[in-house]
Amino acid sequence: MATLPNPLPTLAADPGGRALGLRLPAGAFVDTTAEGPWHEPLLWCARERARPGDWRELEPARRKGLLPVVLDVGGGHGGPDRWELAPADMSYPGDHDAGEVLAEYWQEHAADGAPWPGADTAPPAGRDPDTVAADVAEALLDAGGPLKDPRLALVPARRSADIPAAIGWTGAVHHEGDAARLGAVLRDWEDRFGIRVTALGFDHLLVSVAAPPVTLADAEAVAAEHVAFCPDTIRHGRQPSLRAYAEQQVLGGRTWHFWWD
């Protein structure tokens, strides 16, 4: 996968991040993959549970080519060093067409004979995506948030949508073994809806949404994209139909949460 120069090795001799203008808590570099150690760190991850306010402390890292993300190391899966990361198996998100990827997923996993409805059009401009991501992260890091054990991490990546592929994330391996293809869709959602990859777990992914659909018709169109992207969204979800999912999870929603069985 094509990447920018990795700033993480600079932190190896400067754990607090002062050389990069950061004030980092105690953390560790992760280079563990399913095939053995990677040739450079894939990410930095804090050792202690993240608290409200920690995300914004990492915001200056964006200017150095490091993007913040919350990692959920709870649920019995441990941290990213135990996630069977596979960066060698990843292509580059920019090499894939999001519409073609979604149409293929739809036919393989979600269609039930129905034709691919096509991608939704872009909604009106929303709030600043990075501000929304910070607000969502604050809620995730609250003691009553949905994540079992959230840790702040920094990933060298060109854009937020590239984070899964940049670390070789395999959480959706039973649906898609190359996270760059998922990343192509995430890039498209960045452009259309202002999403940011805000949290990753062993097998789940959460994005913030700056400009969600504001009509039910648009929400249903986006819901179809969600089902193609992650069939378990409906298959194992609480919503009995695409319309119900669109009403309850997509329409005006500031977060989209995906989980792969």
Side-chain angles (χ1 to χ4, degrees):
M1 174 178 169
T3 60
L4 294 171
N6 188 348
L8 288 178
T10 303
L11 294 178
D14 177 32
R18 292 184 179 180
L20 297 179
L22 305 174
R23 292 189 303 169
L24 299 179
F29 301 99
V30 176
D31 64 0
T32 306
T33 78
E35 302 298 328
W38 195 239
H39 60 86
E40 62 183 0
L42 294 166
L43 60 102
W44 170 90
C45 184
R47 296 187 185 276
E48 301 296 329
R49 182 186 178 97
R51 299 171 297 178
D54 287 352
W55 177 281
R56 287 189 167 88
E57 288 290 327
L58 297 186
E59 284 289 345
R62 293 183 184 277
R63 297 192 294 271
K64 305 298 182 179
L66 295 170
L67 301 184
V69 65
V70 181
L71 301 185
D72 187 0
V73 306
H77 296 296
D81 58 324
R82 296 173 54 191
W83 288 2
E84 299 183 347
L85 302 178
D89 295 340
M90 304 295 145
S91 58
Y92 180 56
D95 290 339
H96 305 282
D97 179 83
E100 292 178 1
V101 170
L102 284 173
E104 180 180 326
Y105 288 163
W106 179 265
Q107 293 301 323
E108 289 184 0
H109 304 287
D112 292 330
W116 167 235
D120 181 43
T121 57
R127 296 173 55 201
D128 174 69
D130 292 329
T131 299
V132 174
D135 291 343
V136 167
E138 290 294 297
L140 293 175
L141 300 182
D142 186 79
L147 304 185
K148 296 179 175 62
D149 190 355
R151 308 290 175 87
L152 262 294
L154 291 173
V155 175
R158 294 174 181 270
R159 49 195 289 183
S160 174
D162 296 353
I163 287 175
I167 67 172
W169 184 70
T170 58
V173 68
H174 296 301
H175 174 61
E176 173 57 73
D178 182 0
R181 283 165 53 82
L182 298 175
V185 178
L186 293 171
R187 279 184 168 207
D188 185 56
W189 290 348
E190 273 192 350
D191 295 338
R192 290 192 289 142
F193 307 110
I195 69 103
R196 293 291 185 268
V197 174
T198 307
L200 276 177
F202 174 75
D203 56 4
H204 64 98
L205 179 154
L206 184 145
V207 304
S208 59
V209 189
V214 295
T215 70
L216 183 54
D218 287 342
E220 286 192 77
V222 174
E225 296 184 44
H226 285 199
V227 172
F229 183 78
C230 178
D232 293 328
T233 296
I234 295 292
R235 189 181 300 154
H236 299 304
R238 296 180 179 179
Q239 289 76 29
S241 68
L242 193 69
R243 184 181 182 87
Y245 174 80
E247 289 179 327
Q248 298 175 32
Q249 301 297 326
V250 180
L251 185 63
R254 290 295 180 182
T255 60
W256 297 341
H257 199 178
F258 304 98
W259 168 72
W260 289 265
D261 191 358

